[in-house]
Amino acid sequence: MRRGVESVAFALWQRNRIGLWIVLGYWAAFSASLGLFGRRASAEALAIGILFVLLSYLFLVAVFIHQDSDVAAARSSYPSYMFTLPVKTSRLVLVPMILGTVIVFAFCFVLAASARHSGANIPLFWPAALATTFIAALQAIFWFPWGVPYAKLVLTMAVIALLSTGTGVALNASVPEWAICSALSAIAGASYMTAYLGVARARRGENRDIVSIRESARVRRPVKAKAAFRSATQAQVWYELRQHGILLPAIAAILCGLFYIPTVWDTTISPIYGLGPDAEGKVPLISTYVMAYYPALLMLLPCAAWVIGCGLKRSDVKRGDRTFQLFYGTRPMSDADLVGAKLKATAISTLCAWAIVLVFSLPILNMRGGSMNIRTNMFLSQDDRIHSVLAPFLDRQVLLLGFSAVLLLALMTWRNYAIGFWTELSGKLWLRYAYPIAFGIGYALIVVWGTQRSPDGGHSTATMFETIFIGIWIALLAKLAISVWLVVKEKRTGLLRPSALAWSGAFFVTGAAVFVATLLLLSQSLRQSMVSAQIGSPLVVDSTAIALFLLWTPLTRILAAPLMLSINRHRSR
């Protein structure tokens, strides 16, 4: 038994030892800093520290559910190569689950104790119990062969929502901490049993999905031959959509479904001052919950696209040996065409996701609304429908701003979905994991730098903006220089044909123009306020905004994708 436990633990440690050392070191350093300097630390430093705590927690989740897990798979995601170990199924299940529980609980407990030592009023036990219950529940979800594609995605989002909401309700109801921890422990225990049953079934070969079982049980009938694809590119786009095209629309549908659940208990309405008042001093009233959380729903979709684009999807790259499936590498397509097919598939997936969000948003228009006179602070009506309340305030300017906001969010979603392809196609596992981490560190450094104070204790806004202006233009010029170098290199090596280069250039110029125009329209009031506050001249403020938008627009990372694919696809070993 001891050898079995050691072999499973050694397999986990050997594969993730570098990341685990980094996480262990960071959590120890942050806990010590929190206990010693917590009272004197700035809010920005604490926020950044907590951000990396969350990132390291997500890494631990990936380690203990096994990072090869496929969220779209109908079968168990427990690594099948470990089924050949001369170890009981209970060892295969309990070792990673107990290790995950003990390590995460210990980390969270030490962090809470350090925060309490520095004077913060933070509970010791229920945050650690909630974090360990999350891991146990995810292990059960990913290791059980549910038999339905994307069942893991639906169950994951449902469990996260239910555990978070349930814990929040219990805290608001002043339920004792021991009772919350007991309930979470019971859920973790049920997760242990579910995970064991799932791995046992998968190890016995009971791993077939419901769709294949139904198809094998049907009476074989003559199958009509479908029309052949007109080109290899069209076939590849179809394949990419089958691989992961449904993931983002499924997440959009789940988020919309979860969004409507709390509306059952929401009975309050609040004014929208941004649309009024009209000549009579009237402003519209809509649901308080919708006004507070509907913008968050719209912003969650670009965030989900970034998570998917950085690796949470099916891939043709084997994560174990970082090579391509042979079927992928031998397709009669150039590297640029393969990347182009991926970009087209992401565009289709993005359009479907936003179509689902817009359709699911229609019932909001029929929810309860009203109007209020802000001069007298009296409610004029409270039982109207939102569509009738908002109609008088929706002039051409408001509709244009609304359309621009939706268009911008859709472009953000596609951009976040596509910018991670260059790391995926590189075949370098360390780059795929390091990229989102570096992305988070970069944003954290920007926040720290942007919140620095001048020696007299105040914000030197004008000087800071001049520094930002110079830094943004230097970064933009560097980005354009790298992009030109990539274009020249890929043209010389034959990765980019002149026709593809012309089409891609026209697409980028058009997209960037629409993107910049949309953002300029939405940021008009912000830029005017900056000029009024004498932060910068209109020329400097507008040119900074344009440079920032162009810097954020995807170009270099998309151009790097065919080169990375070529290196990985045609390497000799």
Side-chain angles (χ1 to χ4, degrees):
M1 181 182 74
R2 182 177 179 181
R3 289 184 178 179
V5 172
E6 290 177 351
S7 61
V8 177
F10 179 77
L12 284 172
W13 171 257
Q14 189 67 17
R15 189 174 187 186
N16 306 284
R17 60 188 184 280
I18 297 177
L20 287 174
W21 274 123
I22 294 174
V23 169
L24 287 170
Y26 174 74
W27 281 47
F30 183 71
S31 299
S33 302
L34 192 62
L36 294 174
F37 311 108
R39 296 180 180 179
R40 298 189 297 272
S42 63
E44 294 84 3
L46 288 175
I48 294 171
I50 293 173
L51 171 63
F52 287 109
V53 167
L54 295 176
L55 291 176
S56 58
Y57 173 73
L58 293 177
F59 172 78
L60 292 177
V61 171
V63 168
F64 291 110
I65 68 173
H66 298 292
Q67 57 266 47
D68 290 340
S69 300
D70 186 357
V71 72
R75 303 183 176 189
S76 171
S77 293
Y78 199 96
S80 57
Y81 62 83
M82 297 190 70
F83 292 158
T84 60
L85 293 175
V87 178
K88 292 183 178 181
T89 302
S90 59
R91 306 293 183 270
L92 293 177
V93 176
L94 291 179
V95 170
M97 295 194 81
I98 292 176
L99 284 176
T101 299
V102 171
I103 291 175
V104 171
F105 188 91
F107 283 173
C108 293
F109 182 83
V110 170
L111 280 176
S114 300
R116 287 171 68 95
H117 179 74
S118 64
N121 185 18
I122 296 178
L124 283 175
F125 295 102
W126 76 256
L130 180 61
T132 54
T133 304
F134 272 133
I135 285 189
L138 291 176
Q139 287 171 321
I141 290 171
F142 277 85
W143 294 352
F144 194 90
W146 300 102
V148 180
Y150 292 99
K152 294 179 177 61
L153 172 65
V154 176
L155 291 173
T156 297
M157 300 192 72
V159 164
I160 291 175
L162 291 175
L163 286 178
S164 303
T165 304
T167 305
V169 170
L171 292 173
N172 289 332
S174 300
V175 177
E177 187 177 17
W178 66 265
I180 297 176
C181 293
S182 299
L184 292 173
S185 300
I187 297 173
S191 301
Y192 272 56
M193 291 186 290
T194 304
Y196 173 78
L197 293 175
V199 174
R201 289 185 57 182
R203 202 175 192 187
R204 292 194 301 265
E206 301 175 14
N207 217 3
R208 298 182 66 188
D209 58 80
I210 294 175
V211 175
S212 62
I213 294 174
R214 288 180 177 177
E215 289 181 352
S216 61
R218 290 177 182 172
V219 178
R220 297 296 182 184
R221 298 177 182 177
V223 179
K224 286 186 178 181
K226 295 184 179 180
F229 293 106
R230 290 175 294 183
S231 63
T233 301
Q234 187 182 25
Q236 182 65 27
V237 172
W238 174 86
Y239 173 77
E240 295 290 344
L241 290 172
R242 289 292 299 269
Q243 277 284 85
H244 52 78
I246 195 176
L247 188 55
L248 188 61
I251 290 178
I254 294 171
L255 289 176
C256 291
L258 294 175
F259 170 79
Y260 279 104
I261 294 176
T263 60
V264 177
W265 297 280
D266 181 52
T267 58
T268 61
I269 53 179
S270 299
I272 306 179
Y273 294 107
L275 294 179
D278 60 6
E280 300 175 357
K282 184 170 63 174
V283 295
L285 300 170
I286 66 170
S287 166
T288 304
Y289 172 79
V290 171
M291 186 173 66
Y293 292 102
Y294 184 70
L297 170 66
L298 299 182
M299 289 302 300
L300 279 175
L301 203 55
C303 296
W306 184 80
V307 174
I308 296 171
C310 288
L312 188 64
K313 64 179 183 297
R314 288 178 173 177
S315 174
D316 288 287
V317 180
K318 296 180 182 178
R319 297 188 185 180
D321 55 8
R322 301 179 294 280
T323 59
F324 280 110
Q325 303 281 355
L326 293 179
F327 179 61
Y328 189 92
T330 57
R331 291 171 195 173
M333 297 177 65
S334 66
D335 300 317
D337 289 338
L338 284 171
V339 174
K342 284 183 173 291
L343 296 177
K344 290 179 183 177
T346 56
I348 295 173
S349 180
T350 299
L351 290 175
C352 293
W354 276 101
I356 289 173
V357 170
L358 294 179
V359 171
F360 271 80
S361 300
L362 293 178
I364 295 177
L365 299 177
N366 202 42
M367 295 175 65
R368 187 169 71 96
S371 58
M372 181 184 73
N373 192 313
I374 62 173
R375 297 171 184 171
T376 60
N377 287 329
M378 295 185 61
F379 288 98
L380 302 178
S381 62
Q382 301 184 47
D383 295 318
D384 296 331
R385 301 297 97 182
I386 289 180
H387 62 85
S388 62
V389 171
L390 293 180
F393 296 89
L394 299 180
D395 55 13
R396 185 172 60 182
Q397 181 68 15
V398 172
L399 293 175
L400 180 60
L401 289 174
F403 174 78
S404 300
V406 173
L407 179 62
L408 174 62
L409 289 172
L411 290 172
M412 288 173 58
T413 305
W414 178 82
R415 179 254 185 201
N416 292 350
Y417 203 158
I419 58 175
F421 283 146
W422 71 285
T423 60
E424 174 188 348
L425 298 175
S426 69
K428 302 181 185 300
L429 198 61
W430 66 267
L431 182 60
R432 191 170 186 181
Y433 291 146
Y435 169 66
I437 296 175
F439 188 86
I441 293 175
Y443 269 97
L445 292 177
I446 291 174
V447 172
V448 172
W449 179 61
T451 54
Q452 293 298 311
R453 297 180 180 272
S454 58
D456 59 354
H459 285 281
S460 181
T461 309
T463 304
M464 184 183 300
F465 186 77
E466 291 178 0
T467 307
I468 292 174
F469 171 76
I470 297 172
I472 289 175
W473 272 100
I474 292 175
L476 177 60
L477 293 176
K479 173 181 178 177
L480 294 178
I482 296 173
S483 301
V484 170
W485 177 80
L486 286 171
V487 170
V488 173
K489 183 176 180 60
E490 292 177 2
K491 187 176 183 299
R492 287 178 178 176
T493 56
L495 294 177
L496 283 178
R497 297 187 301 272
S499 59
L501 184 60
W503 182 87
S504 301
F507 178 80
F508 172 77
V509 171
T510 304
V514 173
F515 188 66
V516 170
T518 302
L519 283 173
L520 286 176
L521 177 63
L522 293 175
S523 64
Q524 182 177 2
S525 59
L526 174 62
R527 289 182 287 112
Q528 289 177 349
S529 63
M530 294 176 68
V531 173
S532 301
Q534 297 182 347
I535 296 176
S537 64
L539 179 61
V540 171
V541 172
D542 294 344
S543 61
T544 303
I546 293 173
L548 183 62
F549 302 157
L550 291 176
L551 185 64
W552 196 75
T553 304
L555 176 61
T556 305
R557 282 166 286 191
I558 291 180
L559 284 172
L563 183 62
M564 291 294 186
L565 174 59
S566 177
I567 295 172
N568 191 22
R569 188 185 185 191
H570 306 293
R571 63 183 178 179
S572 58
R573 60 181 180 87

